[in-house]
Amino acid sequence: MQKVYLSNYELEEALNIYFNKIGNLNAETETVKTWDANGRVTVSAVFAKISSPHYNSSAMDGIAAKSERTVLASDRNHVVLTEGEDYIVVDTGDPIPREFDCVIMVEDLISAGENKYEIYQSAVPWQNIRPLGEDIVENQLIVPSKHKIRPVDIGALIAGGINEVEVFKRPRVGIIPTGTEIVEPGTELKVGDIIDFNSRTFSAQVSDWGGIPKRYDIVIDDYEKIKLAVIKANQENDIVLINAGSSAGREDFTSSVISELGDLVIHGVAIKPGKPVMLGVIHNKPIIGIPGYPVSAYFVMEEIAKRLILKYQGLEADELKKVEARLTRRCMSSLKYLEFVRVKLGYVGGSYVATPLTRGAGATMSLVNADGVLEIDQDVEGIEAGTTVQVKLLNNEENIKNTLISIGSHDPIIDIASDILHRRNKKYFLSSTNVGSTGGLMALKTGETHIAPTHLLDMETGEYNLSYLKKYLPGKNICLVKCVNRIQGFMVKKGNPKNINTFEDLTKQDVKFVNRQRGSGTRLLLDYNLNKLGIDPKNINGYFREEFNHLAVAAAVEAGDADAGLGVYSAATMMGLDFIPVCNEEYDLAIPEEYMDTEIIKEFIETIKSNEFKAKLDELGGYDYSDTGRIIYQRS
Amino acid sequence: MQKVYLSNYELEEALNIYFNKIGNLNAETETVKTWDANGRVTVSAVFAKISSPHYNSSAMDGIAAKSERTVLASDRNHVVLTEGEDYIVVDTGDPIPREFDCVIMVEDLISAGENKYEIYQSAVPWQNIRPLGEDIVENQLIVPSKHKIRPVDIGALIAGGINEVEVFKRPRVGIIPTGTEIVEPGTELKVGDIIDFNSRTFSAQVSDWGGIPKRYDIVIDDYEKIKLAVIKANQENDIVLINAGSSAGREDFTSSVISELGDLVIHGVAIKPGKPVMLGVIHNKPIIGIPGYPVSAYFVMEEIAKRLILKYQGLEADELKKVEARLTRRCMSSLKYLEFVRVKLGYVGGSYVATPLTRGAGATMSLVNADGVLEIDQDVEGIEAGTTVQVKLLNNEENIKNTLISIGSHDPIIDIASDILHRRNKKYFLSSTNVGSTGGLMALKTGETHIAPTHLLDMETGEYNLSYLKKYLPGKNICLVKCVNRIQGFMVKKGNPKNINTFEDLTKQDVKFVNRQRGSGTRLLLDYNLNKLGIDPKNINGYFREEFNHLAVAAAVEAGDADAGLGVYSAATMMGLDFIPVCNEEYDLAIPEEYMDTEIIKEFIETIKSNEFKAKLDELGGYDYSDTGRIIYQRS
């Protein structure tokens, strides 16, 4: 049952061994029409075949004249020129006949009757003439070899008489999804089914990198079937990507198939995620076995497949731009691997802060939300919070700088505000991370966030938020802005089959509860009530099962994994659950005073005060927005 | 004959008026399969329809067990579990049946006979279980509205049960080239013909910006024909681009056609190049009359058409990144226009220097060679050399930083060296600007270049280069590296019909000469010889006609515009001319000593010493490379 990775090559070493094994990939080229060559890569330097302009032409509207006939012209001695003999009329761009050698512009001409002009200054040879080859001279270099052709290059090439260019072929890339449990999107899902989306992501990546993707049907875990699929894809393509899955059995199939049909050069590279990658060669064509977990797959695609696909086209991967950022959380890493950590970047108080996102290999959303990647070298055991690190950018700096960072308590309305903010002003984005109310205040303390949504109940006074601001952020000038008052309650299955109405009901033998994580306001609300009622948490089945937001709790109830959870009304209705109200609570926004006057905060406050936002709250239900946007506490 | 621009609106104002006139462009949307949506832009925020995973699954290979049965397990009290009853075997990703609530990983299991395992530590509920919705929870926001879909988004959307997304339609963009003198590429060229390449550049640009280009046949300058073409394109597309040409007559046709069929909203915007642009609306669809000069066309496309095409897709143009650079030459500008100056950027001595490229509107190559654009505001008359300016980047910083800058004397072999350098090491580029030998030395003085090719003949001693280094760069430690010795001579038509063999022959009545610009080594060579022979330059017909490089001189002779020019052997043979040798001269490279140890200079010197380079020199002929790459002078 145990999986063995055959090797743990360092990434660059693995690529060197692999690329050497494959040999020269750049051989295949083709000739295409210049106007179809946008984005293609030149094989050799391209030199102009003709000059542009290919004749001497007028740079002005006016007359083409003989300069020798103008020598005597002056203010006091106008010279009369006669059409046909001394000049012809030319527009800009018109050719200059051999007998003329200058152009006098229309503004310097005085009409002197039919077919005649007077001039009052002499002209020098070649004035206002665009000489042959002014722009491009025959034999001049237009674009160098291994140059990615841009629209402006197409123009210059055609102008230089080049109607065809030799370019590297776009590699055909076959993509084989495998796995008995893998199903097509849209299939009615059974427990255990996994929707194939990796192959669709790969296809889009391959296109972005200039390859021509060809996706094959899903192949079940059957040695012979996988073998046949690989043979076919290997014949039909330049490169094969096989999504080898993560179960032990399937990986064995893939590696054995590659070994049988060709050569499994490398199995296992010292990167995380992505370590079980397979690099093989069949009939001199590369085949990559890509791990099944989406994040592992992503890094194998980015770090290995991308380089291969670009190499086919004579290109190197551009180095991603790096920025310096302060790491907000300690990041442990294994000495065995080069580790790629997805981070969310915030531009807070004039510098970047990087917050690591979920590190699980299956965290598709961490790829969607990542602004950058922090690489932790193989020989480094971890990086402490507060360290300045280099982050490779996946998002552009302008967007990051225009992103409002919200770290703290979760409510579905933060997503709604995010969307409305961006639609109100396309420049701005909102990024929210759910770490619970306490985590949000700590993030304010360390300068990681612009705002912290919070709903912390003071166990002693029964009041919300203010005492915690004073306790956790004693030296800071923090404003408290009213977001909403909202209803918390029990989320239960439709019809409330277990008849849960009170906190006491959670201790019933047949009731399974699902809790929120420590530090969240909702957890505090539960503990406050249990404490008040003298209920021992240990008597609640599921008290120790923690979810990180309202929707996840609701989803667990909806799926029947739990009978009840505590959360907001909107999450219950979104999931089609019943809701038993417990109390009203104050969901507010803690914002450092120094940010209150920034454009983005002002726009955000206008957003939550907008009718559009309030209409959405009405739709969701359970929110009181009568005071939304008001500053309810300010120190100064 | 005189052209009148109807207006001179400031760019932003013109766009506001125009976009207001057109109204809401974002209306057209369509629904596409998620896997076909790469690069498309969402209309609304997209929320997950299902959770992913949609069931609780194992995060490890091992067994799914009941945690309550493990409570007593310890090192001293192994507990035996029985398959089926206490556990089932699971691989990573397998679903966890409802009756089990934890996973014990294979590494912690001791085999205890068939269908039995011993365990030596207790398990807590939910350990090693990937709960339902861990990655994506139903109703969670996946991507916001107006978001450009990336490969990773496609994965997350499919994982969240979204198989179709509503996206903005890609606008169809009709492109009409006009002009009686305009011909298709590949046509046998007559004097006065202009090859249509603008429409091909436009097509590629439109594709890059997400539009669907449709190019129409060239329309001659005929009012009715242009009108019919516009009607057709307007019906078949969302946007029409008509390349209105630069001759006065044609522009009138276009503006009249737009006015007749619809509304010519703006004719003339205060940008240079690009001022005669027309912005019109026909049947509520935009039509843009784009000036004929390639550089004018480029800026109208970039500044106006691009924004329009992106707007159709709910996008805004990204601000180009700016860098600070020192301007190397004074740049005058008109108070009437916002001016776009193409610049070449160099990274010399740790900072950027920006050198303006040819400013002519027809300079196609200036677009190919530009690394950035300097915008000179409408109310600024010019910028002095040495000023620090903001330059919008067209090239990436990494490439610019890896570009060796060569400013100085021209020889076709510099293009060859550039190509070989890049092929030897793809990281490196060479950018050469031909300003003549003297200009190159001045560029070294002001720190604009890494190397300066030079062949300056000392009129007094008859020696090359060294005395000029001492004269122009007295305080600097400059090395002189031997490039080649080359033959200069008269380039004449095949068969030498005018029988030109000596400098005296240039003064013949029927001989037209074409000269090089002042400051170039070749000009100095001519002047040195004329002076020595007592020939008055005024007696040479064409002495004052200046071209900026050897190829341009050769092209003028080839075209019959001139009978002779002075230049290098290779330029003559490239153009199929005869060559009358005059002398050998030393073409060397002046390089500041501080750069001699940099990787890029070392690679460049290896390049010119390479057999590949020498083989090319042999092919061209007229070069002596016996000493190439040797340091022939070093101060220290």
Side-chain angles (χ1 to χ4, degrees), chain A residues 216-259:
Chain A
Y216 290 87
D217 287 340
I218 297 163
V219 184
I220 61 164
D221 295 332
D222 175 295
Y223 187 85
E224 285 305 317
K225 292 209 164 90
I226 291 176
K227 185 173 148 186
L228 287 175
V230 168
I231 290 171
K232 184 170 154 68
N234 177 255
Q235 278 166 353
E236 295 178 351
N237 297 279
D238 301 303
I239 298 171
V240 174
L241 306 177
I242 178 162
N243 202 193
S246 49
S247 91
R250 192 175 328 143
E251 223 170 85
D252 289 346
F253 286 153
T254 310
S255 63
S256 305
V257 164
I258 297 175
S259 299

Side-chain angles (χ1 to χ4, degrees), chain A residues 272-291:
Chain A
K272 188 179 170 189
K275 50 190 187 303
V277 60
M278 299 167 208
L279 306 176
V281 180
I282 298 173
H283 296 126
N284 217 28
K285 290 175 178 176
I287 175 166
I288 305 183
I290 297 179

Side-chain angles (χ1 to χ4, degrees), chain A residues 56 92 135 145 362 364 419 561, chain B residues 56 92 135 145 293 362 364 419 561:
Chain A
N56 300 313
T92 306
D135 189 1
S145 54
T364 315
D419 193 49
D561 283 343
Chain B
N56 300 314
T92 306
D135 188 0
S145 53
Y293 275 132
T364 314
D419 193 51
D561 283 343

